[in-house]
Amino acid sequence: MAEVVIVETPDAAGEVAADEIEQLVRSNPRAVLGLATGSTPLTTWRALAARKLDLTQVRGFALDEYVGLPVGHPESYRSVISREVVEPLGLTPSLVRVPADSGPIETAGVDYEAAITAAGGVDLQVLGIGSTGHIGFNEPGSSFASLTRVKTLTEQTRRDNARFFDSPDDVPVHCITQGLGTIMRARHLVLLAFGAGKAAALAGAVEGPVTASLPGSAIQLHARVTVIVDEAAASQLAYADYYRYAWANRLDWEKL
Ligand code: GLP
């Protein structure tokens, strides 16, 4: 079962996620982080930046990227990762990859998988969850064995992400995303979710049937998952009281 940590606010969640990342990086300064975009991980990046750790040797792999945006577009995930993660955390730009950041799109998925493998795999993957239940950009129906590949976004996800663009029509139709199989190979998954709008998708991911119809439910098949959520996102969890009880009673050696 995933460890589910329910906290009051997104800021508090960011501190818990930053604790996990700090512990990893202190034990391995060359750790490989899986980096997520979206609004959800922002409190994690902020909490981590405030700790002023030396992260210059950390390697990073972004989860996903839009296909079809001009190079340098401010909402390309390459730009977002540079602005919100690489710069504030002091990562080394050349050590951070984003899907399709070099070479032709046709082979970008295979190239990305090879790069992750060459780095020794992802140690800790930060994840948000979309309202469709997607992780990365793995929309409903994605194979649990899928690897990095080009996908078509659902209309719902395009609507959800329209807030970042001048017009809903500007949201790309296609993306390239690590697959569910790629994500499942990471050694530790840290999934964050905030707000009532994520409550149904989160409950499905953590407690619902394991199904490609809710891609986030793949996390139930992973041996090491930390789910960190605020009260609103936790509101549809059937076992919320048990998760709170387990967290309050964690053993000393489990505390970071
Ligand atoms: C986006 C990203 C996901 C992200 C999710 C939630 O489309 N591709 O990686 O987790 O949707 O976004 P947000 O955190 O902004 O709610």
Side-chain angles (χ1 to χ4, degrees), residues 35-42 63-66 77 126-131 134-139 153 157-158 160-161 163-164 175 177 192-194 198:
L35 305 171
T37 52
S39 39
T40 306
L42 290 177
L63 267 179
D64 45 15
E65 175 61 293
Y66 291 114
Y77 284 172
V126 177
L127 295 168
I129 186 164
S131 64
H134 69 235
I135 52 176
F137 266 141
N138 293 282
E139 297 284 25
L153 295 172
T157 296
R158 292 185 68 228
D160 287 348
N161 289 3
R163 67 190 191 281
F164 296 113
C175 64
T177 181
L192 299 136
F194 308 133
K198 298 290 175 71

Side-chain angles (χ1 to χ4, degrees), residues 32-174:
V32 179
L33 290 183
L35 305 171
T37 52
S39 39
T40 306
L42 290 177
T43 59
T44 300
W45 309 139
R46 205 179 306 137
L48 204 53
R51 299 180 186 199
K52 304 213 177 303
L53 305 170
D54 177 3
L55 303 177
T56 52
Q57 296 182 74
V58 164
R59 278 97 34 93
F61 287 91
L63 267 179
D64 45 15
E65 175 61 293
Y66 291 114
V67 171
L69 290 180
V71 174
H73 189 290
E75 292 308 325
S76 73
Y77 284 172
R78 163 52 82 187
S79 298
V80 171
I81 289 282
S82 298
R83 191 169 63 233
E84 294 174 351
V85 188
V86 175
E87 289 164 18
L89 298 188
L91 300 183
T92 302
S94 60
L95 298 182
V96 177
R97 295 282 313 266
V98 175
D101 57 5
S102 65
I105 188 70
E106 289 81 356
T107 53
V110 173
D111 293 348
Y112 205 63
E113 291 292 330
I116 293 173
T117 302
V122 171
D123 291 305
L124 184 152
Q125 176 65 59
V126 177
L127 295 168
I129 186 164
S131 64
T132 64
H134 69 235
I135 52 176
F137 266 141
N138 293 282
E139 297 284 25
S142 294
S143 161
F144 282 14
S146 53
L147 301 177
T148 305
R149 70 225 184 280
V150 173
K151 289 280 290 178
T152 307
L153 295 172
T154 60
E155 286 295 330
Q156 178 66 49
T157 296
R158 292 185 68 228
R159 276 196 297 277
D160 287 348
N161 289 3
R163 67 190 191 281
F164 296 113
F165 292 83
D166 292 337
S167 143
D169 293 338
D170 292 348
V171 184
V173 172
H174 295 101

